[in-house]
Amino acid sequence: MSAVFVEAPKRLVDVTIDGATVRVPEGSTLLDACRQQGIDTPTLCFLENLTPVNVCRVCVVEVEGSRTLVPSCSRKVEPGMAVHTDSDRVRTSRRMVLEFLASTVDVSLAGPDVGRWMAEYGADPARYGDPAPPHQAGQRDAARPGEHPVPDGSAAATVAQPVKYDNDSYVRDYSRCILCYKCVEACGPDAQNTFAIAVAGRGFDARISTEFDVTLPDSACVYCGNCIGVCPTGALMFASEYRMRRDGTWDDDGQTVTTTVCPYCGVGCNLELHVQDNQIVKVTSPLDHDVTSGHLCVKGRFGFEFVQRRADAG
Amino acid sequence: MFGAGGGTCSYREAEDADLIVMWGSNAREAHPIFFHHVLKAVRKGARMYAVDPRRTTSAQWADAWLGINVGSDISLANAIGREIIHAGLANTDFIARATSGFEAYAASVEPYTLEVAERDTGVPADLIRQLAHDYARAGRAQICWTLGITEHHNASDNVFALINLALLTGHVGRYGSGLVPLRGQNNVQGGGDMGALPNKLPGFQDVETDTDARARFEAVYGEPLPARRGWHLSQMFEAMERGELTACYIIGENPVRSEADTGRTKELLSGLEHLVVQDIFLTDTAAIADVVLPATATWCETEGTVTSSERRVQRVRKALDPPGGARDDIEIIGELARRLGANWGPVTAEQAWDELRSLSPMHGGMSYARLEALGGLQWPCYDEEHPGELFLHARLWEADPARRGAPAPFTPVSQEPPLDELSAEFPLRLTTGRRLDSFNTGVQSGKYATPIRRPETLNLSPEDAAELGVAESEVVRISSRRGSIEAPVHVDSTLRRGLAFMTLHFPEQVATNILTLDAWDPKSGTAEFKATAIRVDRIADIPAGGAGDEHAKVGA
Amino acid sequence: MDLRLGVPAPATEQERAAVASVLGPAASGWDGGDRTPADGHMAVGGRAAREQRHLLLPVLHAVQERIGWISPGAVDHICARLTIPPAEAYGVASFYALFRTEPSPVAVVHVCDDVACRADGAERTCQEMERRFGPEGQGAAANGSGVTWQRSPCLGQCDHGSAALIQHAGADPARVVLAPFDPEQVRAALVPGTGVGSGGTAVPQAAADRSGLRLLRRVGQVEPGSIDAYRSAGGYEMLRRAVTAGPQGVLRELKDAKLVGRGGAAFPTGVKWEAVATNPVREHFVVCNADESEPGTFKDRVLMEQDPFALIEALTIMGYTCGARRGYIYIRGEYPIAESRLVEAVRQATDRGLLGADVLGEGFAFDIEVRRGAGAYIAGEETALFNSIEGKRAEPRNKPPFPAASGLFGKPTAINNVETLLCVLEVLRIGGPAFAAIGTANSTGTRLFCLSGAVRQPGLYEHDFGVTLREVIEAAGGLRDGRSLRAVLLGGAAGSFVGPDALDVPLTMEDLRVIGATLGSGVVVVIDDTVDVTDLLVRIARFFRDESCGQCVPCRVGTVRQEELLGRLARGAPLGSVQREIELFADIAAVTRDASICGLGQTAVSALSSALSLNLVGASGQADGGRGLA
């Protein structure tokens, strides 16, 4: 006999996307359905291994009968839904979300998709005027809810601020933060459950923060790197990568990625070793590996040094 | 368990469990990604109990923590069993159909009343009763354990005590219910799978009783195999002591640091006629070897497979070129064989694996192609159509006796206190464990820096620290019946009065294993790292050549 | 939970006492109490510990009231008591405007400068506050006077001309409402024992012809602090009637009455309650949304202050009908008088067996908890309100799922505002069909209107649905002498401007929809030719920028870009050209309206949109902005 666990079969649901009928399992999202159809749907705050928070709104689609656009990443399919992914409303909102983000945040490390989408939707982040001068260190962290200096509109507000570099493992560059909540989810209920960081403040002053903005070493952080693993914009980065990028030695094209198994405890986490010049420069885990779901611990993430430091072994 | 040595459940089953008992396992720090699965269950509403002398970071997630006295696990487990029986919560159908020895078991636990267990463990009887009832009543319940169960002189009895509970309630062989021993190293399970046990051939085939298996191996190897079990680790050291074991070939192990009672270990290894060490580092053990064979790091400089705690065989792959002079383990062994007269020619990892598959039925279906395509497979996996098994022992639930097979035996066990007794001279109980950022003796983990790394400390309860008059970070002398060491104090509120804690991670700073007892479990060969009687003295209070020093026999 | 606790400066005795005043003493050394030997062998925690999270806001309030700010030590101790990670607790504390997370003077004066108060010289008042107490928003370090002040969004006292709320921390803490407000009063109001301040109400109809009053019928007639007075006036007859009719009977009356919610979305109340009542998932909750924060709105405050038992009775009927054992009233922190009257009303009702284990001796159990908001307009959004009760940041949830399926604590929940609940009493009093006969075919019953601005008699008015804007303004005495009507801001900051041509449109849901307007929370701000509309719009833009929760990009950034754009228009310094700014705004408005998560973002642009289409916007400072941009 077999002890393989068989899950209950799922009903199939028919929806119409851009005129074509798509059949997907009950419980699928509109994004799943769009992807099944091969429709390129931009996403920023969505990641397969996290609960959708649907805050970036770049994945919105038009559902007939709905007053507003709906986020495809979290909206479940319902039988008979008629969905439009390329209407004027959808295109305008996607363009504006990208434009809003790019006019407030440094998205230069957000990956090639973002640039492609910006071009495709015609986002023009420059049309809000010159960016305002960057914030002083700690200024955004001290913002009080419900108060702000009233702008005269001569410059466009941004989240630009100095990099937070308070330990040797992580660098936090919140000038690049689009507030997608992924790091908070990974540090919190979706994976690590350490809750070293949360969203603090509100409105445009909302930010990712430790309690009272204490340094990471003074926080609950256990340096698992799962926040960095899910960060889509380079706001969170391993210090080693940050230094290499700063020094101009980081070479994406010159890196290989090899999947293997962590050398520490017996759980069997898969590691993806990013290797450049025969040196491991970064460790990630496959999102679809059902042991890790892409998340690691501090040993798996950082504990590779010993193979590169044999000389001073003991 | 009931034959093959492996956890009965998959990690994903933990997510669907209704009750999880973490017993002697600080998985939050020692198996963090497994604990993610536990946390998913907790978030979905599963109840969690923790049984541990310390209120560890794992125990802090529990609905209830049972802070037992070190080494009182069997008293607790037997009392839980007795309570389940007396409350009429035993799964009598399952017991009758799928187990043997229940009557003897029931009789054996009869002395373990809740009151007796409260006396032995220190845990209130009501809480023990609550755990017993919740475990028995849960739809799906798992017991997970680690070294808190197995690093005792009676490790096997501890494990039997937990297995008995699963048999009593039928919490085994069904999805979401089972027994989950978490492995401490990335291929401990694989080592067992591959026959690195004194009495087993690969695939848990008994070298003494399974003559068919032996014959198949002999046919392939073209050589007769000894039909006699070998020594386990602790027996090997005893054989060295007797002078029966005179040469040793050690691959990827650092016993000088990792074994209890370091002084004795080093003395015995130094006294061998010939010692060969094959490792990726020049370890303390390699430093005293006659021959050192530099090896590649198996997880990133070579091809192969490892097996995880959920019996999942996964591929490791070469990502880096090894440093000059280091050679692959297979290559070294092949070369050694050639010089001993058996020329196998070049052997790839896949070829070695395919030979194994031909001899170990439970690995038969695990071709490299399938391991690649499926991201690993869980044994048993008999042929290339077999998807592998999510959980073990489903057969126990079969209605047909033929398919059900041999009944699973209850194994009565009794409480025995730790061997290293507390006394007026050694009044504190030292237990050992792991920290999140570090690993075993630090050979691997010591090489990377992290902001959470703290040097070794002697963790004392606030009460003991106050009584001893020692302050945070003050260096003290710690003595056991075997030796003395010095370490700074950390006041740790997860400890109660009388309980102290250290790790084994920083042997160069503090050689904790100088203190520990090398008494070992006759059934498994595991040493009692978890229960040492110590005393703590302020350095200022020790007269030169005084009380603290007479026990010192620190290895030079 | 493996919390990392321990800070350099632990909680003081006062802070611990403040926490204990809500939570009682700690159960063990593991959760913030003293260590005992028993702690060494057991601890309980887990889910039960984490489920205390909903007590976070009450505890933060207690510390804020006692100390004047919430220190790292206090947060650390609170987290030990409630099993909350400190970063999360800080994220919550830093979300709400009535909490301070840096050292603060013990008295904070919140001076309303919102749409209604602006018309009455709020800017002059703010200048006077600055002269007396220093620059706005000073912390304790810069301010030795023990008093600081800051501008506030609408305090719901729009019928009084000007208003302020004083938070005064200490052993005898107070929240004092001063309306009308004169900076001269601040020092006197800080004398302990002054109590909750003036407050009061203006229901002009109550003094004149009361015949048309249904929701306001007891206001000014029945002593609000006495359950006996309430019962003498017919109170609790409707609960009796509901129990006699049974839940199905109540639902039938509500459907017959065609009652819809008065919060803006106009969802049929009977359908909403039925969805909860019939949901097989247990347990059920009922919630009264008393977080009235829409600028220009004060109707629910008047009802709660003047007729608190009516709300308690109506919520009890809601609980009975929906099969809930527990109801919550979430009231904004700026309403201390209403809150204290509700708390007292709950106490008296409990004493009389009208709440508790066996209500009316009819065998059903129902309790009510009053929960206080902490300065967040967004908490009035129903799912944000649930999060706030649960001890989280008041961030709206995406819908679906709707509250009837997954609301408070993830359970089926019915939620209505105060006015809607009082309508339920009226439905039961006169019967569903009779209720449906009032008003128009699709907008039944009466409606409350909050009149402010350039009318002779600002205040709260009740009219049958179908009344026109002209009639509403005339009932308030018409415009002040010599003024002419320029526009009306209908529905508050989230509503829209309508011009004089809309005066004869019936104020029903369906008629307003036709002209693209909404009644919202019943706000009618009458704007005459002396008002600087651009200045009002700048204030509204500031309001949305301040009150956006920050969760979704369209609202978080859109409210900033809107405010910047308006700043340029107000200065007469458009980027490129005015036409270009109008095009830019059209894009900002489109995404904010279409892609925001909740109603706040979706309506944040509607005031400016409507003002632009009415050509009301010009460079600020012009008394007559009538030239507009075009």
Side-chain angles (χ1 to χ4, degrees), chain B residues 7 62 65 163 262 412 454 528:
Chain B
W65 163 64
I163 293 173
T262 303
R454 299 283 177 273
E528 184 150 83

Side-chain angles (χ1 to χ4, degrees), chain A residues 79-100:
Chain A
M81 258 184 176
V83 180
H84 303 278
T85 70
D86 203 36
S87 65
D88 284 346
R89 284 174 70 191
V90 169
R91 293 189 64 85
T92 299
S93 281
R94 289 182 179 176
R95 167 168 59 87
M96 290 301 293
V97 165
L98 292 164
E99 200 169 283
F100 277 177

Side-chain angles (χ1 to χ4, degrees), chain B residues 314-362:
Chain B
Q314 302 185 104
R315 288 273 284 108
V316 291
R317 298 179 181 86
K318 180 177 191 299
L320 296 174
D321 294 326
R327 295 164 82 174
D328 188 295
D329 287 327
I330 293 180
E331 187 187 339
I332 294 172
I333 292 168
E335 191 61 15
L336 201 60
R338 190 178 64 78
R339 296 191 191 189
L340 291 169
N343 191 350
W344 302 332
V347 178
T348 66
E350 186 171 4
Q351 287 166 336
W353 179 250
D354 283 340
E355 180 191 275
L356 174 277
R357 288 171 56 213
S358 74
L359 290 167
S360 169
M362 64 195 278

Side-chain angles (χ1 to χ4, degrees), chain C residues 75-420:
Chain C
V75 165
D76 195 71
H77 180 62
I78 290 168
C79 290
R81 292 296 314 267
L82 294 177
T83 314
I84 299 172
E88 290 239 318
Y90 176 73
V92 172
S94 63
F95 184 88
Y96 295 94
L98 295 182
F99 295 144
R100 298 196 147 223
T101 52
E102 70 288 314
S104 168
V106 290
V108 182
V109 187
H110 300 262
V111 181
C112 177
D113 70 339
D114 215 325
V115 284
C117 287
R118 284 196 93 65
D120 290 290
E123 281 305 320
R124 277 195 312 280
T125 308
C126 289
Q127 285 162 15
E128 178 62 16
M129 288 299 288
E130 180 158 352
R131 198 181 64 73
R132 285 169 184 257
F133 300 106
E136 181 186 2
Q138 275 189 333
N143 183 320
S145 72
V147 180
T148 186
W149 72 281
Q150 62 191 63
R151 290 161 192 268
S152 167
C154 181
L155 291 168
Q157 305 284 349
C158 320
D159 47 337
H160 294 291
S162 63
L165 168 77
I166 305 177
Q167 284 177 289
H168 189 197
D172 185 14
R175 280 175 296 152
V176 184
V177 173
L178 298 170
F181 170 62
D182 179 348
E184 185 68 41
Q185 302 166 302
V186 170
R187 289 288 176 195
L190 296 180
V191 177
T194 339
V196 286
S198 52
T201 180
V203 181
Q205 289 167 308
D209 173 20
R210 305 186 57 84
S211 60
L213 299 189
R214 296 177 179 279
L215 308 182
L216 297 177
R217 54 207 293 267
R218 276 180 294 268
V219 170
Q221 302 292 303
V222 178
E223 156 59 35
S226 161
I227 195 166
D228 293 329
Y230 179 69
R231 296 186 88 167
S232 303
Y236 278 100
E237 286 302 315
M238 299 313 123
L239 176 60
R240 181 77 63 188
R241 203 168 282 180
V243 171
T244 306
Q248 287 305 321
V250 175
L251 294 173
R252 191 169 54 247
E253 295 291 346
L254 293 176
K255 288 181 184 171
D256 287 350
K258 295 205 247 174
L259 175 64
V260 300
R262 301 317 199 211
F267 194 82
T269 305
V271 175
K272 183 187 276 190
W273 289 21
E274 186 171 43
V276 175
T278 57
N279 192 320
V281 175
R282 297 283 150 171
E283 86 183 270
H284 295 177
F285 292 104
V286 291
V287 178
C288 171
N289 183 348
D291 193 55
E292 172 176 81
S293 303
E294 185 63 48
T297 316
F298 50 91
K299 63 189 175 75
D300 289 349
R301 173 182 59 79
V302 171
L303 293 172
M304 291 186 285
E305 287 178 352
Q306 300 298 322
D307 200 5
F309 288 100
L311 177 57
I312 303 301
E313 182 182 5
L315 188 57
T316 308
I317 292 169
M318 189 184 190
Y320 169 74
T321 308
C322 295
R325 296 177 54 95
R326 179 166 289 273
Y328 288 86
I329 300 173
Y330 185 93
I331 182 168
R332 68 182 302 208
E334 293 86 346
Y335 281 177
I337 301 166
E339 181 187 326
S340 65
R341 290 192 179 159
L342 286 173
V343 168
E344 174 61 17
V346 168
R347 191 190 66 76
Q348 291 188 24
T350 308
D351 279 354
R352 298 297 173 85
L354 294 164
L355 289 172
D358 184 14
V359 176
L360 278 181
E362 292 285 343
F364 77 93
F366 189 68
D367 286 297
I368 291 176
E369 246 187 85
V370 179
R371 287 298 181 92
R372 186 196 304 170
Y377 169 74
I378 188 62
E381 198 282 336
E382 57 190 14
T383 58
L385 187 152
F386 298 151
N387 279 339
S388 190
I389 292 178
E390 292 177 18
K392 299 172 185 164
R393 297 162 55 82
E395 291 175 351
R397 306 170 184 168
N398 209 63
K399 290 186 278 194
F402 291 94
S406 175
L408 185 61
F409 302 114
K411 300 294 184 186
T413 304
I415 176 167
N416 282 115
N417 69 2
V418 177
E419 184 183 351
T420 312

